[in-house]
Amino acid sequence: EPEVTQTPSHQVTQMGQEVILRCVPISNHLYFYWYRQILGQKVEFLVSFYNNEISEKSEIFDDQFSVERPDGSNFTLKIRSTKLEDSAMYFCASRPGTAGQPQHFGDGTRLSIL
Amino acid sequence: AQSVTQLGSHVSVSEGALVLLRCNYSSSVPPYLFWYVQYPNQGLQLLLKYTSAATLVKGINGFEAEFKKSETSFHLTKPSAHMSDAAEYFCAVSVNSGGSNYKLTFGKGTLLTVNP
């Protein structure tokens, strides 16, 4: 069964550094998402992406964040200047175009900011 | 805006006992509802979904959930718990937030432990 893959599984970065989290969504899916889960808290929506542009973003997704689908298969989340509070598990998800179809999640990238 | 409340951050049952994980939602429009399970160090795996067809939904691993509009609930049940069911369970709601995004709004999760 096709699956969403994320790399790396764990990223350790110094505060203030840029980090890029990578995702390969399921190939025939049309909608792409990033979520994050701070330790001990619930999973929170960051951004959705459709037709090569951001379709919705949350208040968390400020100017330090950006997303890209550079080559039609990869879907990346960039944090320009990381802060301690960016430490979290970041999940990528994708879903088909039909309304109501569930999102499929990757195993996540654990981001640790030192 | 939609929201999800999961009653009980931690539920403990004996092996073979009934599992009941509670979820209530709030939404101004008819929602899609989902249960996801997260095993340690893994991503979110879909257990089941409600998409306005049958109100009783069957999922994987023997789980099922019933959509009750009058109670705005979508509780997850399994008749007989197995040790392998120990995990964290998340209820999520999805509505069209514009542009057919259908972002997910999650509850805080319920950690299920199964005692031998």
Side-chain angles (χ1 to χ4, degrees), chain A residues 31 33 35 37 41-45 48-50 55-56 89 91 95 97 99-108 110, chain B residues 4 32 34 36 38 41-46 49 51 88 90 94 97-109:
Chain A
Y31 290 84
Y33 305 83
Y35 295 83
Q37 184 181 30
Q41 298 185 25
K42 64 179 176 180
V43 179
E44 302 174 287
F45 167 76
S48 57
F49 194 85
Y50 170 73
S55 45
E56 186 175 354
M89 181 74 92
F91 292 106
R95 71 167 179 89
Q101 287 300 309
Q103 295 179 25
H104 297 252
F105 284 79
D107 282 345
R110 182 171 299 282
Chain B
V4 174
Y32 297 113
F34 306 88
Y36 285 87
Q38 185 179 31
N41 300 313
Q42 293 188 27
L44 297 162
Q45 181 183 359
L46 179 71
K49 62 180 182 181
T51 56
E88 187 146 27
F90 293 92
S94 173
S97 50
S100 299
N101 286 321
Y102 292 101
K103 69 180 181 188
L104 289 170
T105 300
F106 287 88
K108 289 187 176 180

Side-chain angles (χ1 to χ4, degrees), chain A residues 83-94:
Chain A
K83 308 182 191 71
L84 292 176
E85 54 265 36
D86 293 328
S87 294
M89 181 74 92
Y90 288 80
F91 292 106
C92 173
S94 67

Side-chain angles (χ1 to χ4, degrees), chain B residues 84-98:
Chain B
S84 61
D85 295 327
E88 187 146 27
Y89 292 79
F90 293 92
C91 181
V93 63
S94 173
V95 299
N96 188 353
S97 50

Side-chain angles (χ1 to χ4, degrees), chain A residues 6-12 21 88 108-112:
Chain A
Q6 290 186 244
T7 55
S9 56
H10 192 186
Q11 174 82 44
V12 182
L21 309 183
T109 293
R110 182 171 299 282
L111 178 63
S112 300

Side-chain angles (χ1 to χ4, degrees), chain B residues 1 4 9 15 18-19 26 29-30 35 39 41-42 54-55 59 61 64 67 69 78-79 81-82 90 109 116:
Chain B
V4 174
S9 59
E15 193 173 16
L18 171 72
V19 175
S26 172
V29 298
W35 276 98
Y39 298 101
N41 300 313
Q42 293 188 27
T55 56
N61 302 337
E64 61 182 38
F67 172 70
K69 184 179 179 181
K78 181 173 180 177
H82 191 273
F90 293 92

